[in-house]
Amino acid sequence: MRTEDLEVNEEEPALNWFKGVWNLHISPKIKMFMWKLFQKAIPVGEILVARHITTDGRCKRCGTLESIYHLFLQCPFARKIWRAAPFVSTFENSGLIDLKSVWSNLCEKNYVPPTGLVSGQLAPWILWHIWCARNQLIFEGKTITEEEALTKAITAAKEWTSSQEQRPPPPRKIPPRPQTMTNCDVLNSDAAWRAPNHTAGLG
Ligand SMILES: [Zn+2]
């Protein structure tokens, strides 16, 4: 392994953390994973070698040095997943130099209509399932196909979205009824406001 392979590129593009990680429609677990990924705190082979934890930093699938860039973008396994992802426009990842430079583009991609995914949410789930597939292969000896990994990512993204939509609204506090006075007429009134379609009701 060449020493220059381990050097950190000082001219990496800046990342908009709010737009690129914290505001994405994904679970907190995946946000933390994304944060670690962009901080280069994910123990891929290249980083393990640099920290003298292992001497073999090669990708278990293809034998290339396992950098973050390789594992998540350039490994044939990852490339096949990105090519098959249901983006409206194809994601071409050949010739890219790192994940940060392409991340905003990936987050802005729309999906083909039947997918039912929210804009920007699939790419993080794909990265997560590439990572899970890699760990399954190394630690459990299990191999999953690119199609299975992509299906898992799409399913997880959809399940997250529907779980958020089905979450019940917080209980409404009902004020105590005022005591009714005798020998007088009572007039009850109520009003409601629906923010999503800007409609109001009065009764
Ligand atoms: Zn590989």
Side-chain angles (χ1 to χ4, degrees):
M1 188 182 309
R2 295 172 303 160
T3 52
E4 57 265 38
D5 288 336
L6 304 178
E7 287 176 1
V8 176
N9 181 1
E10 299 291 343
E11 296 180 2
E12 281 187 5
L15 179 75
N16 182 331
W17 285 99
F18 282 100
K19 196 175 169 193
V21 178
W22 306 126
N23 287 350
L24 291 178
H25 195 71
I26 52 177
S27 74
K29 177 182 78 173
I30 305 300
K31 286 181 185 177
M32 279 308 296
F33 170 71
M34 293 304 307
W35 180 80
K36 284 183 182 175
L37 191 58
F38 287 124
Q39 294 288 359
K40 290 190 165 54
I42 297 289
V44 293
E46 179 188 42
I47 292 171
L48 293 176
V49 170
R51 292 178 184 169
H52 307 289
I53 294 169
T54 182
T55 54
D56 183 5
R58 289 176 296 173
C59 172
K60 296 296 177 287
R61 294 184 198 278
C62 68
T64 306
L65 175 67
E66 190 193 57
S67 62
I68 284 176
Y69 155 70
H70 171 80
L71 177 66
F72 293 101
L73 287 176
Q74 287 297 298
C75 183
F77 182 80
R79 291 176 78 124
K80 195 169 173 186
I81 291 175
W82 288 115
R83 267 201 305 271
F87 297 130
V88 170
S89 53
T90 316
F91 171 54
E92 183 47 63
N93 56 356
S94 61
L96 296 175
I97 53 167
D98 68 50
L99 195 56
K100 275 186 186 173
S101 61
V102 76
W103 190 241
S104 63
N105 175 268
L106 264 178
C107 289
E108 286 163 6
K109 276 194 179 295
N110 290 316
Y111 310 104
V112 289
T115 319
L117 292 162
V118 178
S119 179
Q121 73 170 151
L122 182 58
W125 289 102
I126 287 179
L127 295 174
W128 171 251
H129 282 280
I130 289 174
W131 180 241
C132 292
R134 176 259 192 201
N135 290 336
Q136 269 192 328
L137 178 63
I138 292 177
F139 300 115
E140 300 171 37
K142 286 184 187 169
T143 306
I144 66 167
T145 65
E146 295 87 344
E147 290 79 11
E148 286 172 318
L150 179 58
T151 303
K152 283 184 178 190
I154 293 172
T155 305
K158 282 185 182 175
E159 282 178 357
W160 165 253
T161 303
S162 66
S163 72
Q164 297 306 296
E165 288 167 354
Q166 288 166 10
R167 185 173 285 182
R172 193 175 153 201
K173 286 182 183 166
I174 302 171
R177 273 177 176 271
Q179 285 198 333
T180 310
M181 293 172 66
T182 54
N183 298 326
C184 67
D185 295 324
V186 176
L187 177 64
N188 291 319
S189 65
D190 197 5
W193 165 251
R194 271 179 71 84
N197 50 7
H198 301 284
T199 52
L202 190 65

